[in-house]
Amino acid sequence: MYDEPAPAPSFAERAWSLLRQVGTLFRRRLVVIVVVVAVLISTAVLVNYTQGSWPWGGCETNSADVVAIEGECVGLMDPADGTMVLGEQYRQILEAIAAENRTVAKDKDYSTIALMAPMGAGPRGLVGERALHQLEGAFIGQYRANRSETFPKIRLLLANTGHDGSKWRATVQAVRKNAATGATASPGQVVAVTGMGPSQQESIDAARALAKDPGIPMVADFITAAGFNTTGEIDDGGPIPGLTRTAVSTSAQVQAIAEEFKKMKVGGNAALMWADVTPQGTKDLYARSLKDAFLDPKLGLKPYVDRSGLSFPFDPRGGPSLLRTISDTICGAKTDMIFYAGRQAFMPTFLKLLRSRPCRSTPITVVTGDDAQDQNPNDPSLHDPEAPIKVMFVPLADPKRLDHQDNPHRQLYRDFRDEFVAPHHGVTFPAAHLGSGLAILAYDAVTAAVTAIQKAAIGVDPSQLSLPSAVAVRGQLYLFTGTNVIRGASGAFTLDSRTGERVNVTMPTPVTIP
């Protein structure tokens, strides 16, 4: 006996069944959509957290003077209020500074130094590495000062201007709000700023804003552009009261290279290559100053450029195609050297293109300034026997030279180095970080500021001590002359009372890689 076939479903039943299937499919897809969105949101939160900011505009800190601008946490930061404000890369150094600041805060009388610099992970993390080394050197300056028998104790704050320095306005505003710009000072007020960033337009704009009456004294660490000092001759903006610096200028670097050429009897010719602007389109004062030094008849390298007749402007906003054209064009003339007035950030790409140029078997030397201290000496482009390429530059603070037995101030460097690699508050810094020279320069700048603060705190009677104002500290910076010296890691030095430049410096020594 066979079952009778079921009657065909009516149109209404078929329609209802179809609707139920669509509903089930929709609910399943809705669940998938919700899950995907949740994952995306949580990922965004996690990524922003590890970078120190939240996707809805906040920053991982309790500091009232920190703001989120275009995804970056900028302003005046006390690491004691949050050690993840700049992301995981900076966590350890911020933990060390935070611990030191908490110890200092237990003392009722202490002054504050702010390290102003571009911080955070910029393109390829290059700026992040720089700031990391700066912070480590500055911390050692703070740490050593606080363990001396002098008054007052020092708190160290971070004045972050963004990874490219473009957020300087918010940072300067926060520094000025917390500065001791009156006749007297209260505990914890900012009385000096160090660092100041690279030699670019944003840095000089920030310096002029800090110098406005009542001004805040500044000790720049690796600013090297000619005239980027008290005189303000870098542009037509007039003097910048209170701006001093502890690095060797680009002019002195080129002069050192010219002396080396004379000693080695270097002949041949050189193509000049320069960048006038930063990737943001603002003035690159370091590159312009280096270009002017290469062409300065008094410094001795101009004849090499005159003999080649080759001069290449390079706008970093134009991309690598410009670098390729320059490297290929050099093959059209006998060129022994390239005078490179630009940033190291573009150097690896340029070296790679030189290595693959049609005339790559012809040896060539790229001669440049201190920014090349960041150049990786193990770059494959510098170790290809079929494309012999060298890079010559003048390091601002070369550990090998400072630790050489011929250095009369060798012990000053060794004392700093030993402190640098020792554990502090459970944190240890790698000795390799000294290679960039930035930790050494940052230490020297903080040491200069600390020495001025300590001297400004002493009254008519040496037993009368009081917290100094920013004006008093600025005055002391211009009195470092004669036997009144600053004992930095790079040696003992003074500051010129007219320009704020470092003086009593031995002639810097060029190095060549490989």
Side-chain angles (χ1 to χ4, degrees), residues 11-22:
F11 175 80
E13 291 174 328
R14 292 198 303 271
W16 179 246
S17 176
L18 179 62
L19 284 174
R20 281 187 297 177
Q21 293 177 34
V22 170

Side-chain angles (χ1 to χ4, degrees), residues 250-299:
T250 50
S251 297
Q253 294 173 39
V254 169
Q255 184 179 359
I257 293 171
E259 291 293 331
E260 185 75 6
F261 278 19
K262 187 184 299 182
K263 182 173 68 175
M264 302 299 294
K265 296 181 180 179
V266 176
N269 58 55
L272 176 66
M273 173 180 167
W274 80 92
D276 276 340
V277 297
T278 67
Q280 298 82 250
T282 56
K283 295 178 183 177
D284 190 329
L285 304 173
Y286 162 81
R288 290 188 178 192
S289 179
L290 191 55
K291 169 195 169 187
D292 292 342
F294 281 136
L295 297 177
D296 188 339
K298 298 178 182 178
L299 298 179

